[in-house]
Amino acid sequence: MTIENAPTEDGKEGARGLHKTARADERKVEAEKGSDLAKGADRFDERSRSSDGKSAGEKQR
């Protein structure tokens, strides 16, 4: 959910906090790893493949 889609101000505040925490965690992991994490479609495929060795497309067949 994007921040703008939250129906209440509390929801928007929660979304902002979650977004900020996720961004900080990603920076921490990238610093430990020494390189950037994959983004967008590459990241989706990487995360999907890591669970069972198959890509998202292979799972749908």
Side-chain angles (χ1 to χ4, degrees), residues 8-47:
T8 65
E9 190 55 41
D10 285 342
K12 289 178 184 186
E13 186 177 327
R16 283 185 201 104
L18 180 62
H19 190 262
K20 183 179 178 181
T21 301
R23 203 170 351 148
D25 187 48
E26 186 173 290
R27 279 192 228 118
K28 178 183 169 190
V29 170
E30 287 176 342
E32 290 173 358
K33 183 180 171 192
S35 63
D36 290 346
L37 294 172
K39 304 287 190 272
D42 292 337
R43 184 170 186 162
F44 176 82
D45 192 48
E46 176 185 290
R47 303 313 263 164

